[in-house]
Amino acid sequence: MNVKEIFDSMSYGPAPESSAEAMAWITRHNGAFGHWIDGAFTKPGASFATSNPATGQVLAQVSQASEAELDAAVKAARRAQPKWAKLPGHARAKILYALARLVQKHARLLAVLETLDNGKPIRESRDIDVPLVARHFYYHAGLAQLLGAEHPDLAPLGVCGAVIPWNFPLLMLAWKVAPALAAGNTVVLKPAEYTPLTALLFAEITREAGLPKGVLNIITGDGDVGAALVNHPDVNKIAFTGSTAVGRKIRQATAGTGKALTLELGGKSPYIVFDDADMDSAVEGLVDAIWFNQGQVCCAGSRLLVQEGIADRFHARLKRRMDGLRIGDPLDKCIDVGAIIDPAQLATITAMVDANAEGETYRAATPLPAGCFYPPTLISGLSAASPLMQEEIFGPVLVSMTFRTPEEAVALANNTRYGLAATVWTENINLALDVAPKLKSGVVWVNATNLFDAAAGFGGVRESGFGREGGWEGLLAYLKPAATAKPLKPVAAFPAPKDPETPGLDRTAKLYIGGKQARPDGGYSQQVWSPKGKLLGHVGTGNRKDIRNAVEAAHAAKGWAKTTAHARAQILYYIAENLSARATEFAARLRDLTGANGASEVEASIQRLFTYAAWADKFDGAVKAVPIRGVALAMNEPCGVIGALCPDDAPLLGLISLMAPAIAMGNTCVLVPSEPFPLAATDLYQVLDTSDLPGGVVNIITGGHAELAKTLAGHMDVDAVWSFSSSDISALVERESAQNLKRTWVNNGLARDWAGAAGEGRAFLRQATEVKTVWVPYGE
Ligand code: NAI
């Protein structure tokens, strides 16, 4: 080829990275690995092969952990944990800092090994994965340094189990290990079976960094090993990234065990291009969004929504760009698209695409090498309900639809059960910042895509999971209150006396739905007796239908989220004022119900309403110091509809303690009041009615906690469920919540001092909000 021809074609010559060092590292281990337990490798046992997806060549044999090996890893982590947690923050910070430095020192080896094991282009592992890993350890060294001073009341959870996927093997390890260690936990991590090698190399590096034995343990194996780790009784938290199907199983398996849980699951993230977008940049962004890592990315911009007027031009430019993508040997520095992780994944992608008969399918013209490769593909003209529009393909396949108006774009974008990420392209900042909060997703990129940083929270809503990774918000998922809670005794209703006096006037409190009093659907009610054997009244027995009606009313009232925080604060003050005006009556009611002095509970309830009125416009988000020219906004958004089983032990204060933070943050709610002492809540209807609270923002359904919890926790349109009931229902709530993977917050049978500091504050506000990270790069 002469120079003129080179300039004409602009084709690149091959520039392969050598695999020699990485292969030499494998050979030093005789091509077979055991597990990393208590600071050393175990002898290789029953093993399976891990291969290079680009060539099919076996790289090494890796061990399938036995139960005894898993147990040894957990024991090592347990032994090491107290000492690790007791180290001053600075000592942990120094080790995390050393890890960051060592990742940089070994960056080339780590990048090559990652590409060999995973098939991703070396350009990505070298320029994205490994630098982000180092950044994560640097950032968390800082958090370890500051944690004690910033959160003196928090303590580590203990032993954390981490189960990670194959698409970003080392990066996902960093996302789990760095915060866990910074917070003083120890870890047992299971890498994905396709990609265990960089985790094992990292384990060796921890020794160089002086990480004490047992603080990080790595066991390899398949999904059964993952399940065994999840089920191990001596693990305090599970942090999982992977498929929604497995996430759901893990939610069910951990229900009621008291294990903390964060799930980062699948997605079908929209990529919205408005007609005023910088089209070349938007096309380039899209290449990154869907062909980065062959589309095997949980937050891949896999659903293109393009404004109708520019759709033809946009698709044409996109196709031209697709034809220029270079597909092939991932170790070649000129390659854009590497290998699919495994023939099984290739078969899944192929089957999904082949099953589609709708729209037009366009495949990149670039020749496809033999082996585990799939061509960059665009399928346009699909309908919103098409399976390919709804299901995660997890491959280099983009599906596309058009829209006319911003409203339609938002509706289409949100027409998914997922909610991980979204991208918006427009030169109109007003439009971008109007659309971003309306998108149901944990991350929004404006005029950019796939930006990640340790300082900025990443994670989803809906069936994309819950919890954030990165930032202080990510660290908090590895901490708990330092104070130990006492077990909560069941609180029973006072029984009817043997020889009850003839009841006077029948007074049956109704339910409260959509701002109106409603008769219970079943037509049943229960008596409520005082400790002295006096009949205080009747209360409606709510059922499934009542819960459904209440959820519907709560949805209809969702405009509440759009009212200003100032307006919400005023209404909370107003509720407090109206309660205060009737304080004597409420105190008497509480005394009648429980026998305790009600005056202090009423006073505490008024104060609590003031607290959250105060917080309504002060629980700010943040602007994250991310390394771009621009900002990453961490916005505290309401969760949506929150269902809450209220405490039995503080019938009025407990309910107010849950209702007030929920509505202060813009949520609507369905509250099930104290089962034995419901009348304090039913008296509240009038207070709410006279306080300008829009109907449906608060709905109250009296009845049995266990029965109502099941419907509430299983309801597909409820976004979060809290349970502070004294009935033993934490397991039930967590298990049922798996249906739509809603967030849960349960007491696990532990008591809380509702009148004290534990009864209010930031912990409640955090539960009432989701952090949405909106990335807005700026400049020409
Ligand atoms: P997966 O969710 O099955 O695997 C992720 C990790 O979980 C692996 O380490 C695996 O060994 C482990 N695991 C499997 N079953 C388990 C169980 N019952 N309990 C505990 N751990 C378990 O994902 P897989 O099979 O690798 O890929 C299947 C599909 O999942 C992909 O096609 C893609 O759609 C999706 N996926 C999504 C990811 C994301 O980041 N959102 C990452 C990987 C896969």
Side-chain angles (χ1 to χ4, degrees), residues 163-167 172 190-194 221-228 230 240-244 246-247 249-250 264-267 296-299 345 348 392-394 420:
V163 179
I164 57 171
W166 40 260
N167 51 349
M172 289 304 105
K190 191 201 84 67
E193 45 274 52
Y194 293 144
D222 60 13
D224 291 345
V225 177
V230 165
F240 173 77
T241 298
S243 60
T244 295
V246 172
K249 281 191 203 167
I250 293 178
E264 202 266 274
L265 310 174
Q296 303 167 127
V297 182
C298 49
C299 55
Q345 183 70 11
T348 307
E392 185 178 39
I393 303 174
F394 226 63
L420 193 49

Coordinates of all heavy atoms in Angstrom, one line a residue, residues 163-167 172 190-194 221-228 230 240-244 246-247 249-250 264-267 296-299 345 348 392-394 420, ligand 1:
V163 N -20.7 -10.4 44.9 CA -20.8 -11.3 43.8 C -20.9 -10.4 42.5 O -21.7 -9.5 42.5 CB -22.1 -12.1 43.8 CG1 -22.2 -13.0 42.6 CG2 -22.1 -13.0 45.1
I164 N -20.0 -10.6 41.6 CA -19.8 -9.6 40.5 C -19.9 -10.3 39.1 O -19.7 -11.5 39.0 CB -18.5 -8.8 40.7 CG1 -17.3 -9.7 40.7 CG2 -18.6 -7.9 41.9 CD1 -16.0 -8.9 40.7
P165 N -20.2 -9.5 38.1 CA -20.4 -10.1 36.8 C -19.1 -10.0 36.0 O -18.0 -9.6 36.4 CB -21.4 -9.1 36.2 CG -21.1 -7.8 36.8 CD -20.5 -8.1 38.1
W166 N -19.2 -10.4 34.7 CA -18.0 -10.6 33.9 C -17.8 -9.4 33.0 O -16.8 -9.3 32.3 CB -18.2 -11.8 33.0 CG -19.6 -12.0 32.4 CD1 -20.5 -12.9 33.0 CD2 -20.2 -11.4 31.3 NE1 -21.7 -12.8 32.2 CE2 -21.5 -11.9 31.2 CE3 -19.8 -10.4 30.4 CZ2 -22.4 -11.5 30.2 CZ3 -20.7 -10.0 29.4 CH2 -22.0 -10.5 29.3
N167 N -18.7 -8.4 32.9 CA -18.5 -7.3 31.9 C -17.5 -6.3 32.3 O -16.8 -5.8 31.4 CB -19.9 -6.7 31.6 CG -20.6 -6.2 32.8 OD1 -20.3 -6.6 33.9 ND2 -21.7 -5.5 32.5
M172 N -15.7 -3.8 38.7 CA -16.8 -4.2 39.7 C -16.2 -4.6 41.0 O -16.7 -4.4 42.1 CB -17.7 -5.3 39.1 CG -18.6 -4.8 38.0 SD -19.6 -3.4 38.4 CE -18.8 -2.1 37.6
K190 N -16.7 -13.1 45.1 CA -16.7 -14.1 44.0 C -16.8 -13.5 42.7 O -17.9 -12.9 42.3 CB -17.9 -15.1 44.2 CG -17.8 -16.3 43.3 CD -19.0 -17.0 43.0 CE -19.8 -16.4 41.9 NZ -19.2 -16.5 40.5
P191 N -15.8 -13.6 41.9 CA -15.8 -13.0 40.5 C -16.7 -13.9 39.7 O -17.0 -15.1 40.0 CB -14.4 -13.0 40.1 CG -13.6 -14.0 41.0 CD -14.5 -14.2 42.2
A192 N -17.1 -13.4 38.5 CA -17.9 -14.3 37.6 C -17.0 -15.4 37.0 O -15.8 -15.3 36.9 CB -18.4 -13.4 36.4
E193 N -17.6 -16.5 36.7 CA -16.9 -17.7 36.2 C -16.1 -17.5 34.9 O -15.1 -18.1 34.7 CB -17.8 -18.9 36.1 CG -19.1 -18.7 35.4 CD -20.2 -18.2 36.4 OE1 -20.0 -17.2 37.1 OE2 -21.3 -18.8 36.4
Y194 N -16.6 -16.5 34.1 CA -15.9 -16.3 32.8 C -14.7 -15.4 33.0 O -13.8 -15.5 32.1 CB -16.8 -15.5 31.8 CG -18.0 -16.3 31.3 CD1 -19.2 -15.6 31.1 CD2 -18.0 -17.6 31.0 CE1 -20.4 -16.2 30.7 CE2 -19.1 -18.3 30.6 CZ -20.3 -17.6 30.4 OH -21.4 -18.2 29.9
G221 N -15.7 -19.7 41.3 CA -16.7 -20.7 41.0 C -17.9 -20.2 40.3 O -17.9 -19.0 39.9
D222 N -18.9 -21.0 40.1 CA -20.1 -20.6 39.3 C -21.2 -20.0 40.2 O -21.0 -19.7 41.3 CB -20.6 -21.8 38.5 CG -21.0 -23.0 39.4 OD1 -21.1 -22.7 40.7 OD2 -21.2 -24.1 38.9
G223 N -22.4 -20.0 39.6 CA -23.5 -19.4 40.3 C -23.9 -20.1 41.6 O -24.4 -19.5 42.6
D224 N -23.6 -21.4 41.7 CA -23.8 -22.1 42.9 C -23.0 -21.6 44.1 O -23.4 -21.6 45.2 CB -23.6 -23.7 42.7 CG -24.6 -24.3 41.8 OD1 -25.6 -23.6 41.6 OD2 -24.4 -25.4 41.3
V225 N -21.7 -21.3 43.7 CA -20.8 -20.7 44.7 C -21.4 -19.4 45.2 O -21.4 -19.0 46.4 CB -19.4 -20.7 44.2 CG1 -18.5 -20.0 45.3 CG2 -18.9 -22.0 43.8
G226 N -21.8 -18.6 44.2 CA -22.4 -17.3 44.5 C -23.6 -17.5 45.4 O -23.7 -16.8 46.4
A227 N -24.5 -18.4 45.1 CA -25.7 -18.7 46.0 C -25.2 -19.1 47.4 O -25.8 -18.7 48.4 CB -26.5 -19.7 45.3
A228 N -24.2 -19.9 47.4 CA -23.7 -20.4 48.8 C -23.2 -19.2 49.6 O -23.4 -19.2 50.8 CB -22.7 -21.5 48.6
V230 N -24.2 -16.1 49.3 CA -25.4 -15.3 49.6 C -26.0 -15.9 50.9 O -26.5 -15.2 51.8 CB -26.3 -15.3 48.4 CG1 -27.7 -14.8 48.9 CG2 -25.8 -14.4 47.3
F240 N -24.3 -7.1 45.1 CA -24.4 -7.9 43.9 C -24.5 -7.0 42.7 O -25.3 -6.0 42.7 CB -25.6 -8.8 43.9 CG -25.9 -9.5 42.7 CD1 -25.1 -10.6 42.3 CD2 -26.9 -9.1 41.8 CE1 -25.4 -11.3 41.1 CE2 -27.2 -9.8 40.6 CZ -26.4 -10.9 40.3
T241 N -23.8 -7.3 41.6 CA -24.1 -6.7 40.3 C -24.2 -7.9 39.3 O -23.4 -8.8 39.3 CB -22.9 -5.8 39.8 OG1 -22.7 -4.7 40.8 CG2 -23.1 -5.3 38.4
G242 N -25.3 -7.8 38.5 CA -25.5 -8.9 37.6 C -26.9 -8.8 37.0 O -27.5 -7.7 37.0
S243 N -27.5 -9.9 36.6 CA -28.8 -9.9 36.0 C -29.9 -9.7 37.0 O -29.8 -10.0 38.1 CB -29.0 -11.2 35.2 OG -29.0 -12.3 36.2
T244 N -31.0 -9.1 36.5 CA -32.2 -8.9 37.3 C -32.7 -10.2 37.8 O -33.2 -10.3 39.0 CB -33.2 -8.1 36.5 OG1 -32.7 -6.8 36.2 CG2 -34.5 -7.9 37.3
V246 N -31.1 -13.0 38.6 CA -30.4 -13.4 39.8 C -30.5 -12.5 41.0 O -30.6 -12.9 42.1 CB -28.9 -13.6 39.4 CG1 -28.0 -13.9 40.7 CG2 -28.7 -14.8 38.4
G247 N -30.6 -11.2 40.7 CA -30.9 -10.2 41.7 C -32.1 -10.5 42.5 O -32.2 -10.4 43.7
K249 N -33.5 -13.5 42.8 CA -33.3 -14.7 43.7 C -32.6 -14.3 45.0 O -32.8 -14.8 46.0 CB -32.4 -15.7 42.9 CG -33.1 -16.5 41.9 CD -32.2 -17.6 41.4 CE -32.6 -18.1 40.0 NZ -31.6 -18.9 39.4
I250 N -31.6 -13.4 44.8 CA -30.8 -13.0 46.0 C -31.7 -12.2 47.0 O -31.6 -12.4 48.2 CB -29.6 -12.2 45.6 CG1 -28.6 -13.1 44.8 CG2 -28.9 -11.5 46.7 CD1 -27.4 -12.4 44.2
E264 N -27.3 -4.1 41.9 CA -27.1 -3.3 40.7 C -27.4 -4.2 39.5 O -26.6 -5.1 39.3 CB -25.7 -2.7 40.7 CG -25.6 -1.5 39.8 CD -25.1 -1.8 38.4 OE1 -23.9 -1.9 38.2 OE2 -26.0 -2.0 37.6
L265 N -28.5 -4.0 38.9 CA -29.0 -5.0 37.9 C -29.1 -4.5 36.5 O -28.3 -3.6 36.2 CB -30.4 -5.5 38.4 CG -30.4 -5.9 39.9 CD1 -31.8 -6.3 40.4 CD2 -29.5 -7.1 40.2
G266 N -29.9 -5.1 35.7 CA -29.9 -4.8 34.3 C -30.5 -3.5 33.9 O -30.9 -2.7 34.8
G267 N -30.6 -3.2 32.7 CA -31.2 -2.0 32.2 C -31.6 -2.0 30.7 O -31.2 -3.0 30.0
Q296 N -22.2 -5.0 26.2 CA -22.4 -5.8 27.4 C -22.2 -4.9 28.6 O -21.3 -5.1 29.4 CB -21.4 -7.0 27.4 CG -21.5 -7.9 26.2 CD -20.3 -8.8 26.0 OE1 -20.5 -10.0 25.9 NE2 -19.1 -8.3 26.1
V297 N -23.0 -4.0 28.7 CA -22.9 -3.0 29.7 C -24.3 -2.8 30.3 O -25.3 -2.6 29.6 CB -22.4 -1.6 29.2 CG1 -22.2 -0.6 30.2 CG2 -21.1 -1.8 28.4
C298 N -24.4 -2.8 31.7 CA -25.7 -2.7 32.3 C -26.4 -1.4 32.0 O -27.6 -1.4 31.8 CB -25.6 -2.9 33.8 SG -24.3 -1.9 34.5
C299 N -25.6 -0.3 31.8 CA -26.2 1.0 31.5 C -26.1 1.4 30.1 O -26.2 2.5 29.7 CB -25.5 2.1 32.4 SG -23.8 2.1 32.2
Q345 N -23.4 -16.6 25.4 CA -23.9 -15.2 25.3 C -24.1 -14.8 23.8 O -25.2 -14.2 23.5 CB -22.9 -14.2 26.0 CG -23.4 -12.8 26.0 CD -24.6 -12.6 27.0 OE1 -24.9 -13.4 27.8 NE2 -25.2 -11.4 26.9
T348 N -27.3 -16.3 22.8 CA -28.5 -15.6 23.3 C -28.8 -14.4 22.5 O -29.9 -14.1 22.1 CB -28.2 -15.2 24.8 OG1 -27.8 -16.3 25.5 CG2 -29.4 -14.5 25.4
E392 N -33.5 -6.7 27.9 CA -32.0 -6.4 27.8 C -31.4 -7.4 26.9 O -31.5 -8.6 27.1 CB -31.4 -6.5 29.2 CG -30.0 -6.1 29.3 CD -29.5 -6.1 30.7 OE1 -29.8 -7.0 31.5 OE2 -28.7 -5.2 31.1
I393 N -30.7 -7.0 25.8 CA -30.1 -7.9 24.9 C -28.6 -8.2 25.4 O -28.1 -9.3 25.2 CB -30.0 -7.3 23.4 CG1 -31.5 -7.0 23.0 CG2 -29.4 -8.3 22.5 CD1 -31.6 -6.3 21.6
F394 N -28.0 -7.2 26.0 CA -26.6 -7.4 26.5 C -25.7 -7.8 25.4 O -24.9 -8.7 25.5 CB -26.6 -8.4 27.6 CG -25.8 -7.8 28.8 CD1 -26.2 -6.7 29.5 CD2 -24.6 -8.5 29.2 CE1 -25.5 -6.2 30.6 CE2 -23.9 -8.0 30.3 CZ -24.3 -6.8 31.0
L420 N -32.0 2.4 35.0 CA -30.6 2.5 35.4 C -30.0 3.9 35.0 O -29.6 4.7 35.8 CB -29.8 1.3 34.9 CG -28.4 1.2 35.5 CD1 -28.4 1.3 37.0 CD2 -27.7 -0.1 35.0
Ligands
NAI1 P1 -25.6 -13.5 36.2 O1 -26.4 -12.5 36.9 O2 -26.1 -14.9 36.2 O3 -24.1 -13.6 36.9 C1 -23.6 -12.6 37.7 C2 -22.8 -13.2 38.9 O4 -23.8 -13.8 39.7 C3 -21.8 -14.3 38.5 O5 -20.7 -14.1 39.4 C4 -22.6 -15.5 38.8 O6 -21.7 -16.6 39.1 C5 -23.4 -15.2 40.0 N1 -24.6 -16.0 40.2 C6 -25.3 -16.7 39.3 N2 -26.4 -17.2 39.9 C7 -26.3 -16.9 41.2 C8 -27.2 -17.1 42.3 N3 -28.3 -17.8 42.2 N4 -26.8 -16.6 43.5 C9 -25.7 -15.8 43.6 N5 -24.9 -15.6 42.6 C10 -25.2 -16.1 41.4 O7 -25.3 -13.0 34.8 P2 -24.7 -14.0 33.6 O8 -25.3 -15.3 33.6 O9 -23.3 -13.9 33.6 O10 -25.4 -13.2 32.4 C11 -26.7 -13.4 32.0 C12 -27.4 -12.1 31.7 O11 -27.4 -11.2 32.8 C13 -26.7 -11.3 30.6 O12 -27.1 -11.7 29.3 C14 -27.1 -9.9 30.9 O13 -28.4 -9.7 30.3 C15 -27.2 -9.9 32.4 N6 -26.1 -9.3 33.0 C16 -26.2 -8.0 33.5 C17 -25.1 -7.5 34.1 C18 -25.2 -6.1 34.6 O14 -24.2 -5.5 34.9 N7 -26.4 -5.5 34.8 C19 -23.8 -8.1 34.2 C20 -23.8 -9.5 33.8 C21 -24.9 -10.0 33.2

